[in-house]
Amino acid sequence: MTSKYADKQRKALYNAPNHVRNKTVGSHLSEELIAKLGRKTVRVVKGDTVKVVRGDEKILGVEGKVTSVDTEKGRLIIEGVTTAKADGTQIERPVHASNVIVTKLELKDNYRKQKLHTEEEVSS
């Protein structure tokens, strides 16, 4: 059971073990993938293609591959999503996993591929 108090919820998230933190980097799937897989969300991994659907106008609508996943902060680093420093150099800008939609899955991992397809067969 989780608390109704925001400070306790934040504390629980900050002190959460890794297997719980992995769930914080889950994102919604595109409508095509929902129809194909029979599920709405998936944990984002390096190599997935995502589209930013919420946030600043500068990054809204940007689609790119995920280059790294920060489970500690629940953020993703996406190709093409950068911000300028004061000296003009571009640095990568982290995006929260809840602000993106997965448009293409990276299926090189056989375990992930098998897990997604077994759930697809069960729901059919």
Side-chain angles (χ1 to χ4, degrees):
M1 186 170 109
T2 58
S3 173
K4 66 180 182 177
Y5 299 106
D7 58 341
K8 287 188 176 185
Q9 290 177 11
R10 279 191 300 272
K11 182 179 179 181
L13 182 63
Y14 298 151
N15 296 325
N18 288 337
H19 74 281
V20 174
R21 286 212 175 176
N22 277 333
K23 294 184 181 199
T24 64
V25 289
S27 294
H28 285 280
L29 293 168
S30 66
E31 291 182 15
E32 299 83 33
L33 288 174
I34 291 172
K36 180 181 175 188
L37 299 174
R39 58 185 296 175
K40 288 186 176 182
T41 61
V42 71
R43 185 200 186 284
V44 180
V45 297
K46 181 179 173 180
D48 284 348
T49 304
V50 296
K51 180 179 180 182
V52 180
V53 292
R54 294 186 69 207
D56 191 5
E57 293 173 356
K58 296 173 187 170
I59 64 169
L60 196 61
V62 174
E63 191 166 347
K65 277 192 170 187
V66 176
T67 56
S68 71
V69 179
D70 184 3
T71 55
E72 196 163 314
K73 294 185 175 131
R75 312 267 182 213
L76 310 172
I77 303 297
I78 305 166
E79 286 178 0
V81 179
T82 59
T83 187
K85 287 176 45 174
D87 64 358
T89 58
Q90 295 289 322
I91 59 166
E92 41 198 31
R93 177 177 172 180
V95 178
H96 197 272
S98 66
N99 295 337
V100 301
I101 287 181
V102 178
T103 56
K104 187 177 176 191
L105 294 168
E106 176 65 47
L107 296 175
K108 286 183 181 174
D109 180 15
N110 288 330
Y111 178 76
R112 185 182 196 211
K113 188 181 208 177
Q114 179 185 7
K115 183 105 169 112
L116 288 171
H117 289 295
T118 53
E119 290 178 3
E120 173 188 349
E121 293 164 4
V122 170
S123 64
S124 296

